[in-house]
Structure formats: structure tokens, C-alpha cells
Amino acid sequence: MSRKRHRLVPETFGLKRRRELGDVEADPLRGESGSARAAVAEIVRLFPRVLFEDALPPIALRSQVYSLVPDRTVADRQLKALQEQGEIRIVQLGFDLDAQGIMFTEDYRTRVLKACDGRPYAAAVQKFLASVLPACGDLSFQQDQMTQTFGFRDPEITQLVKAGVLTVRDAGSWWLAVPGAGRFIKYFVKGRQTVLSMVRKAKYRELLLSELLGRRAPASVRLGLAYHVHDLIGAQLVDCVSTTSGTLLRLPET
């Protein structure tokens, strides 16, 4: 695959170039290490920070990690360990029950502090980042947990919701959230639909990965083709077929 094209996995994942393998192209979707951390790091490198003026923490989706670590049990176990160690944060993105965003904790903390700087709710956010974030890796928080364990008053919780750090899950519980993530979700959903349509419109509803990544991204694909292809594969919206010409993306039979 040409260096001028986006590659789904760089050589640091241990992949060999096609010229080293003869006529059969290496599968660009699998990391030999099987490391979920390395997979998250690769996806966040694809995240278009400039598009969001570096205001959002780079986000990877769980589905994208599955494209690089195909054994989901292994991937989930490693992600859980990273979460428990405090290295990553996981949030519900809301557009799908299975849609979870993954960020490195330091990226999340830095961007949230920047987003809330000088705002009326800055003190509540700083308290949350200093007390809750290091102590609890959960996706959501309960009323008793916030008030009794971490000492937040109801007005402070309201400020966290206004800041976009928490979103209401149901009465007395809240999801961890990313301030300003709405625009990312809008771009992601639209881009996913567009890239899936590119495969659907191809002959036999299949397309070589190298050909897809070699195309100019449509205007609606704001996050980049490679970013979305990881999602389509990991979410099993397309099948991957190995051929002598390289990896073929094919719509599953319905």
C-alpha cells in the first residue's frame, strides 16, 4: 500500500510492506501484538484534532479497537484493565447502545479543563477531575456516590451537567460525558453512513480496501476514510475477505 495513502495500521504494529511479501498484500487491519492499548493509540492518531480546533480529546470507538484486536474477549479484558488502571476513560456516545468512546485519561482531563476555563462551573469541574476521575473509572455515577462518597452538593452536580461533563442517565444517575462531543457524534454518524454507502454502491457490493483508502474522501466524511473503515470492520458492518489483490471489504449477506 502506498505511503501516500492512509494505512489502517502502521509498520510499528509489526506489519511488513507488500514488497516484502510478494504478490499477497499483508492484512492492514491486524496488529500482531494484539494490544488494545496500541490499538487505541493508533486510532487516536487518526482522529482529526484540527477539525475540532484541538478542543476535544482524541476519541477512539470500541468497535474500532475490535478491527485491530479481533478477539473481542481479549480486547474487552485489556480495555477493562486499562480502565481500572486509570489510563483510559470510556463514555457512552448515545447514538447507539453499543457506541462507546475511549480516550486516554490525560487527554480527557486536559481538554475538559481547557473547555471549562473561566466558566462559572469551573470550580465544580476541577473538583470532579481531582476527586472522582482518579478514584472511579465507571461509565456512570449514582446520586449517593456523588453526594456521600465524593461530597458533591446538588447544585455542583447541576453545574457538571451544564459543563457537559455529566449527562443525565435517569433519575439520580449520570453518564460521564465529553463537553462539546455533539459535533463529533454528528460527523461520525454521517461519515459512517457515507462510507458504508461507498461499499454498497460498488460492483457486487464489495471494494478493495486499498482502492477505498486511495479515494478522495467525500465532503461528508469529515473524520477521514481510515477512521471510519476501522469502525465498519469492528462493528461488523462489512466483512473482510483476504484476496491476492489485498483485503476486500464486502457487505454481509442479509
Side-chain angles (χ1 to χ4, degrees):
M1 192 175 294
S2 168
R3 285 185 182 272
K4 294 182 181 179
R5 296 175 178 171
H6 295 290
R7 289 173 296 154
L8 292 184
V9 180
E11 289 179 43
T12 54
F13 272 75
L15 297 180
K16 298 182 179 180
R17 297 304 302 269
R18 180 175 181 173
R19 63 174 178 268
E20 296 172 339
L21 296 177
D23 293 333
V24 179
E25 187 181 56
D27 183 349
L29 305 173
R30 304 290 182 246
E32 289 183 1
S33 66
S35 164
R37 191 195 186 286
V40 173
E42 171 58 19
I43 299 300
V44 300
R45 277 194 290 270
L46 293 174
F47 186 85
R49 298 175 185 232
V50 175
L51 179 63
F52 302 99
E53 300 173 339
D54 209 26
L56 286 182
I59 300 171
L61 273 78
R62 187 179 289 268
S63 60
Q64 294 171 318
V65 173
Y66 292 156
S67 76
L68 295 168
V69 186
D71 187 325
R72 294 189 173 209
T73 301
V74 171
D76 288 342
R77 183 170 64 246
Q78 292 182 0
L79 288 173
K80 183 174 178 59
L82 291 170
Q83 189 178 10
E84 291 174 345
Q85 293 161 13
E87 189 166 358
I88 63 171
R89 302 300 308 196
I90 301 178
V91 297
Q92 291 290 141
L93 293 177
F95 63 87
D96 190 302
L97 290 175
D98 296 327
Q100 293 184 338
I102 303 167
M103 304 151 292
F104 287 112
T105 301
E106 186 57 29
D107 287 337
Y108 178 81
R109 190 186 70 82
T110 300
R111 299 317 191 284
V112 169
L113 281 174
K114 182 179 178 181
C116 299
D117 186 38
R119 302 295 181 90
Y121 41 69
V125 171
Q126 291 168 5
K127 178 180 176 180
F128 178 84
L129 294 176
S131 60
V132 181
L133 208 66
C136 182
D138 295 343
L139 277 75
S140 64
F141 309 95
Q142 304 299 315
Q143 177 90 28
D144 290 348
Q145 183 183 22
M146 291 294 293
T147 57
Q148 298 178 19
T149 304
F150 297 112
F152 280 83
R153 295 176 290 108
D154 287 342
E156 289 178 310
I157 296 174
T158 299
Q159 288 182 325
L160 293 175
V161 174
K162 288 182 178 178
V165 173
L166 298 179
T167 58
V168 176
R169 179 179 182 179
D170 51 39
S173 68
W174 302 268
W175 292 113
L176 179 69
V178 182
R183 190 155 64 106
F184 163 76
I185 294 171
K186 177 182 176 180
Y187 290 161
F188 181 85
V189 172
K190 182 63 176 177
R192 173 193 267 190
Q193 293 170 344
T194 300
V195 178
L196 195 58
S197 178
M198 293 169 71
V199 180
R200 183 178 294 111
K201 292 178 180 178
K203 189 176 182 180
Y204 304 124
R205 292 156 54 97
E206 60 187 31
L207 193 61
L208 280 171
L209 173 63
S210 57
E211 180 182 345
L212 176 59
L213 295 182
R215 293 183 178 182
R216 183 175 181 176
S220 56
V221 183
R222 305 293 297 276
L223 304 177
L225 287 168
Y227 190 87
H228 284 292
V229 169
H230 273 296
D231 165 62
L232 295 185
I233 293 167
Q236 299 178 334
L237 297 175
V238 296
D239 293 330
C240 291
V241 181
S242 296
T243 74
T244 56
S245 299
T247 300
L248 187 71
L249 304 182
R250 176 182 295 163
L251 288 187
E253 295 182 4
T254 57

